[in-house]
Amino acid sequence: MWGAIGRNPEFAALRACGSPPAAAVLLQILLSTLTVWLVMRLAHSWTGNPEAALLAGLLMALDLPSILSANLLMTETLFALLLVLACLPPALGTGVAAWGLSGALTGLCILCRPIALLLLRAGLRVALPEVELLERLLHALFLGLALARFAVA
């Protein structure tokens, strides 16, 4: 079962410590449970409504793909946790430290699953809708990233 640990650092750490694969599945379940709690906290901070927070947590807890991926050695559970964690600091505070922590967590998201680069563009567009220069810079960045892929290959 340890054959294909992929990019997931938690599996590499568990394997290096000599833990059995069941420990990785247990860790995945704990991360998934933490993600559900954080989604509830995030929904409560955005809406101020405890019922909405409970509904958001319930929907996350009953999401079939999340349940299935928590029982497999994949990066989806860690990615979901990091993504929710990246949304939490700006929801709790608007200071530079909150946005810096959010950026660092987004960077970890990108390391875990590179598809998060697309989410970064959408997130910045939502967070800073009035900045037209940012839009041009992001287009240039993504064009450069797309061309860099061919330069490396």
Side-chain angles (χ1 to χ4, degrees):
M1 187 168 176
W2 281 123
I5 60 171
R7 299 182 308 266
N8 203 330
E10 64 183 292
F11 302 144
L14 285 172
R15 186 174 183 190
C17 294
S19 298
V25 173
L26 180 62
L27 179 62
Q28 289 276 103
I29 292 169
L30 291 173
L31 292 177
S32 184
T33 304
L34 180 60
T35 303
V36 169
W37 182 78
L38 288 171
V39 163
M40 290 176 61
R41 172 125 184 192
L42 188 61
H44 188 269
S45 71
W46 280 345
T47 65
N49 186 344
E51 289 84 15
L54 185 61
L55 180 62
L58 186 65
L59 289 174
M60 183 71 191
L62 297 178
D63 180 45
L64 189 58
S66 296
I67 293 169
L68 294 175
S69 68
N71 292 297
L72 300 172
L73 297 179
M74 299 167 50
T75 59
E76 276 74 6
T77 304
L78 180 63
F79 176 72
L81 176 66
L82 290 172
L83 191 61
V84 172
L85 281 172
C87 294
L88 202 55
L92 299 177
T94 57
V96 173
W99 283 100
L101 180 59
S102 181
L105 289 166
T106 302
L108 290 175
C109 267
I110 293 168
L111 286 174
C112 183
R113 297 201 39 107
I115 194 75
L117 272 172
L118 299 176
L119 295 173
L120 177 64
R121 182 187 184 283
L124 285 174
R125 189 66 183 145
V126 169
L128 304 168
E130 69 281 350
V131 181
E132 186 177 323
L133 177 62
L134 178 68
E135 184 74 17
R136 291 187 201 144
L137 290 173
L138 286 173
H139 284 296
L141 171 70
F142 281 96
L143 178 62
L145 288 173
L147 294 176
R149 195 286 183 222
F150 294 107
V152 173

